[in-house]
Amino acid sequence: MTVDKLHVVKQMNELEAKNYAKLHSEIELEIEAGKERIEKYQQQLSKAKQIKSHKLQYDAIAQLIKQYPSKDETTAAISRTEKEIEELKKKKIFFEEEVQKRKRQFEVLVYSIQQLQCELSQDPVQEMEVDS
């Protein structure tokens, strides 16, 4: 009976060892699956951090861009400025011509004054001769 009992205990131990081995392999598989999930989640986390970083950079750049006027506004301002420049150039030409005209008029005036002075300076001498 002790031999049978030992034999039954041996079979139970072997069965128990197989169950532990099976349980051990199942646990190992779960550990590997857990490691794979952790790795997958770490990659997702890394991608999420990168996306968040890009979003923050995008927001910062968007704030900088908002500080400046739009392309349409800038184009309109440039157009207005170019028109002002053209008008000022026309005014400059007009005033330069006006200055030249005034210079000629002044030269004519000075010439006329000189002629009058000459005539007046000659008149007293002629009067003296006529009087004598």
Side-chain angles (χ1 to χ4, degrees):
M1 186 151 167
T2 47
V3 174
D4 286 337
K5 193 175 180 183
L6 286 176
H7 183 63
V8 170
V9 170
K10 180 183 172 195
Q11 285 178 345
M12 290 302 288
N13 284 341
E14 287 175 357
L15 186 60
E16 200 64 31
K18 284 180 185 178
N19 283 337
Y20 283 134
K22 182 180 173 186
L23 188 60
H24 179 65
S25 66
E26 287 175 2
I27 291 172
E28 286 294 324
L29 289 174
E30 287 180 23
I31 289 173
E32 286 300 316
K35 285 181 182 179
E36 289 174 6
R37 280 194 309 267
I38 289 171
E39 187 175 318
K40 182 176 128 183
Y41 293 145
Q42 284 177 338
Q43 289 173 354
Q44 288 177 350
L45 178 63
S46 175
K47 285 181 184 179
K49 284 181 180 179
Q50 186 177 20
I51 289 170
K52 182 179 179 182
S53 171
H54 288 166
K55 186 177 183 318
L56 291 174
Q57 289 175 353
Y58 171 82
D59 290 342
I61 291 171
Q63 289 299 322
L64 287 174
I65 290 171
K66 286 180 182 179
Q67 293 176 353
Y68 297 99
S70 70
K71 182 179 178 182
D72 293 337
E73 292 172 355
T74 303
T75 304
I78 289 171
S79 178
R80 284 191 306 272
T81 303
E82 287 174 346
K83 286 179 185 177
E84 286 179 29
I85 289 171
E86 288 302 316
E87 289 174 11
L88 290 172
K89 284 180 180 179
K90 288 177 184 177
K91 283 183 180 180
K92 178 184 174 190
I93 290 170
F94 172 78
F95 287 123
E96 285 176 347
E97 289 172 352
E98 193 68 25
V99 165
Q100 290 300 323
K101 178 181 163 186
R102 301 289 177 170
K103 279 184 180 179
R104 284 191 299 274
Q105 288 174 345
F106 183 71
E107 288 172 358
V108 168
L109 180 63
V110 168
Y111 179 75
S112 297
I113 291 173
Q114 288 174 349
Q115 290 297 322
L116 281 173
Q117 283 178 343
C118 278
E119 285 180 18
L120 289 175
S121 67
Q122 289 175 3
D123 276 345
V125 173
Q126 287 177 356
E127 282 180 15
M128 289 175 136
E129 289 176 3
V130 171
D131 285 339
S132 341

